[in-house]
Amino acid sequence: MVEILLLAAVAIFIFARLFSTIGKQKGAPPPAFRRDEQAEQRPQPVHVVRNPDEVDEEDDSISGIGQISRIDPSFNQREFLQGARGAYEMIVKAFADGDRSSLKNLLNDDIYQDYDSALKQREESGEEPLELMRLKNAAIESGDVRGSMAEVTVLFEAELTNGDRISDTKELWTFERDTKSRNPNWKLSDVSAA
């Protein structure tokens, strides 16, 4: 009986010490309790969105995305990513078909000139166009605001085919939209290899 009481006393002592150590808050307070200036000084984590179903509409942790949401309350990450996937497919198809009129509606003027030059070279050489086999993944990489111009960069991973040859591609596509414009459509403004 004395042994049981002694073991119980030791157990209570150990639990009390554990609780006093674990129960103490260490480090910085949770983000919700930080003052705004403290939160702005810390680097914002980058959350890569892999597909539209994973997007949390309230998540503005992607660099610049929160800023876009503040100046354009209609901006929605899930809808944007779905639209970007659709735009990717339309642009690749229009380029393969040589459909300049569709490209003109989907690209800004600078990148349209690049696509038009590439189409002219392909038409002169008789080269077979690359066609989309499968869009494997689309992920928002970053966002930015310059004046009233919002930009969102998306990483696309796809399989393209050129006749019998299949190739994997990874590209960063940047879409832009003037937030002061009534036109809700985003246009492709830059493409680079990832």
PDB file of all heavy atoms in Angstrom, residues 9-19:
ATOM      1  N   ALA A   9       2.503   9.409  -5.863  1.00  0.00           N
ATOM      2  CA  ALA A   9       3.104  10.721  -5.597  1.00  0.00           C
ATOM      3  C   ALA A   9       4.155  11.059  -6.650  1.00  0.00           C
ATOM      4  O   ALA A   9       4.231  12.199  -7.143  1.00  0.00           O
ATOM      5  CB  ALA A   9       3.718  10.743  -4.197  1.00  0.00           C
ATOM      6  N   VAL A  10       4.971  10.073  -7.038  1.00  0.00           N
ATOM      7  CA  VAL A  10       5.988  10.286  -8.080  1.00  0.00           C
ATOM      8  C   VAL A  10       5.306  10.606  -9.413  1.00  0.00           C
ATOM      9  O   VAL A  10       5.712  11.514 -10.145  1.00  0.00           O
ATOM     10  CB  VAL A  10       6.924   9.056  -8.197  1.00  0.00           C
ATOM     11  CG1 VAL A  10       7.808   9.162  -9.421  1.00  0.00           C
ATOM     12  CG2 VAL A  10       7.762   8.902  -6.940  1.00  0.00           C
ATOM     13  N   ALA A  11       4.249   9.871  -9.739  1.00  0.00           N
ATOM     14  CA  ALA A  11       3.521  10.096 -11.002  1.00  0.00           C
ATOM     15  C   ALA A  11       2.924  11.498 -11.031  1.00  0.00           C
ATOM     16  O   ALA A  11       2.995  12.207 -12.046  1.00  0.00           O
ATOM     17  CB  ALA A  11       2.442   9.043 -11.184  1.00  0.00           C
ATOM     18  N   ILE A  12       2.315  11.927  -9.910  1.00  0.00           N
ATOM     19  CA  ILE A  12       1.731  13.271  -9.851  1.00  0.00           C
ATOM     20  C   ILE A  12       2.825  14.322 -10.024  1.00  0.00           C
ATOM     21  O   ILE A  12       2.651  15.303 -10.754  1.00  0.00           O
ATOM     22  CB  ILE A  12       0.971  13.462  -8.510  1.00  0.00           C
ATOM     23  CG1 ILE A  12      -0.291  12.601  -8.523  1.00  0.00           C
ATOM     24  CG2 ILE A  12       0.622  14.930  -8.285  1.00  0.00           C
ATOM     25  CD1 ILE A  12      -1.009  12.522  -7.194  1.00  0.00           C
ATOM     26  N   PHE A  13       3.985  14.116  -9.382  1.00  0.00           N
ATOM     27  CA  PHE A  13       5.099  15.051  -9.511  1.00  0.00           C
ATOM     28  C   PHE A  13       5.554  15.151 -10.970  1.00  0.00           C
ATOM     29  O   PHE A  13       5.760  16.250 -11.511  1.00  0.00           O
ATOM     30  CB  PHE A  13       6.263  14.609  -8.600  1.00  0.00           C
ATOM     31  CG  PHE A  13       7.484  15.455  -8.761  1.00  0.00           C
ATOM     32  CD1 PHE A  13       7.550  16.724  -8.197  1.00  0.00           C
ATOM     33  CD2 PHE A  13       8.582  14.996  -9.492  1.00  0.00           C
ATOM     34  CE1 PHE A  13       8.677  17.513  -8.356  1.00  0.00           C
ATOM     35  CE2 PHE A  13       9.698  15.782  -9.651  1.00  0.00           C
ATOM     36  CZ  PHE A  13       9.752  17.049  -9.081  1.00  0.00           C
ATOM     37  N   ILE A  14       5.697  13.996 -11.631  1.00  0.00           N
ATOM     38  CA  ILE A  14       6.151  13.973 -13.036  1.00  0.00           C
ATOM     39  C   ILE A  14       5.135  14.675 -13.936  1.00  0.00           C
ATOM     40  O   ILE A  14       5.491  15.499 -14.786  1.00  0.00           O
ATOM     41  CB  ILE A  14       6.424  12.529 -13.511  1.00  0.00           C
ATOM     42  CG1 ILE A  14       7.669  11.982 -12.781  1.00  0.00           C
ATOM     43  CG2 ILE A  14       6.600  12.465 -15.021  1.00  0.00           C
ATOM     44  CD1 ILE A  14       7.927  10.518 -13.011  1.00  0.00           C
ATOM     45  N   PHE A  15       3.835  14.383 -13.775  1.00  0.00           N
ATOM     46  CA  PHE A  15       2.808  15.028 -14.593  1.00  0.00           C
ATOM     47  C   PHE A  15       2.771  16.536 -14.359  1.00  0.00           C
ATOM     48  O   PHE A  15       2.603  17.320 -15.291  1.00  0.00           O
ATOM     49  CB  PHE A  15       1.427  14.416 -14.324  1.00  0.00           C
ATOM     50  CG  PHE A  15       1.224  13.098 -14.997  1.00  0.00           C
ATOM     51  CD1 PHE A  15       0.939  11.971 -14.259  1.00  0.00           C
ATOM     52  CD2 PHE A  15       1.320  12.971 -16.374  1.00  0.00           C
ATOM     53  CE1 PHE A  15       0.760  10.740 -14.871  1.00  0.00           C
ATOM     54  CE2 PHE A  15       1.135  11.750 -16.995  1.00  0.00           C
ATOM     55  CZ  PHE A  15       0.863  10.625 -16.246  1.00  0.00           C
ATOM     56  N   ALA A  16       2.957  16.945 -13.098  1.00  0.00           N
ATOM     57  CA  ALA A  16       2.963  18.374 -12.791  1.00  0.00           C
ATOM     58  C   ALA A  16       4.138  19.062 -13.476  1.00  0.00           C
ATOM     59  O   ALA A  16       4.002  20.156 -14.032  1.00  0.00           O
ATOM     60  CB  ALA A  16       3.021  18.584 -11.271  1.00  0.00           C
ATOM     61  N   ARG A  17       5.312  18.436 -13.468  1.00  0.00           N
ATOM     62  CA  ARG A  17       6.493  19.008 -14.131  1.00  0.00           C
ATOM     63  C   ARG A  17       6.293  19.056 -15.648  1.00  0.00           C
ATOM     64  O   ARG A  17       6.630  20.044 -16.297  1.00  0.00           O
ATOM     65  CB  ARG A  17       7.757  18.194 -13.795  1.00  0.00           C
ATOM     66  CG  ARG A  17       8.178  18.248 -12.353  1.00  0.00           C
ATOM     67  CD  ARG A  17       8.705  19.596 -11.952  1.00  0.00           C
ATOM     68  NE  ARG A  17       9.955  19.857 -12.633  1.00  0.00           N
ATOM     69  CZ  ARG A  17      10.528  21.026 -12.714  1.00  0.00           C
ATOM     70  NH1 ARG A  17       9.981  22.065 -12.165  1.00  0.00           N
ATOM     71  NH2 ARG A  17      11.653  21.173 -13.349  1.00  0.00           N
ATOM     72  N   LEU A  18       5.747  17.972 -16.218  1.00  0.00           N
ATOM     73  CA  LEU A  18       5.493  17.944 -17.672  1.00  0.00           C
ATOM     74  C   LEU A  18       4.508  19.035 -18.053  1.00  0.00           C
ATOM     75  O   LEU A  18       4.707  19.762 -19.033  1.00  0.00           O
ATOM     76  CB  LEU A  18       4.941  16.578 -18.099  1.00  0.00           C
ATOM     77  CG  LEU A  18       5.962  15.482 -18.339  1.00  0.00           C
ATOM     78  CD1 LEU A  18       5.252  14.153 -18.567  1.00  0.00           C
ATOM     79  CD2 LEU A  18       6.825  15.806 -19.535  1.00  0.00           C
ATOM     80  N   PHE A  19       3.415  19.156 -17.316  1.00  0.00           N
ATOM     81  CA  PHE A  19       2.399  20.151 -17.635  1.00  0.00           C
ATOM     82  C   PHE A  19       2.975  21.561 -17.548  1.00  0.00           C
ATOM     83  O   PHE A  19       2.716  22.403 -18.389  1.00  0.00           O
ATOM     84  CB  PHE A  19       1.195  19.999 -16.706  1.00  0.00           C
ATOM     85  CG  PHE A  19       0.112  20.997 -16.998  1.00  0.00           C
ATOM     86  CD1 PHE A  19      -0.696  20.829 -18.102  1.00  0.00           C
ATOM     87  CD2 PHE A  19      -0.063  22.116 -16.206  1.00  0.00           C
ATOM     88  CE1 PHE A  19      -1.687  21.749 -18.391  1.00  0.00           C
ATOM     89  CE2 PHE A  19      -1.041  23.036 -16.497  1.00  0.00           C
ATOM     90  CZ  PHE A  19      -1.858  22.853 -17.595  1.00  0.00           C
TER      91      PHE A  19
END
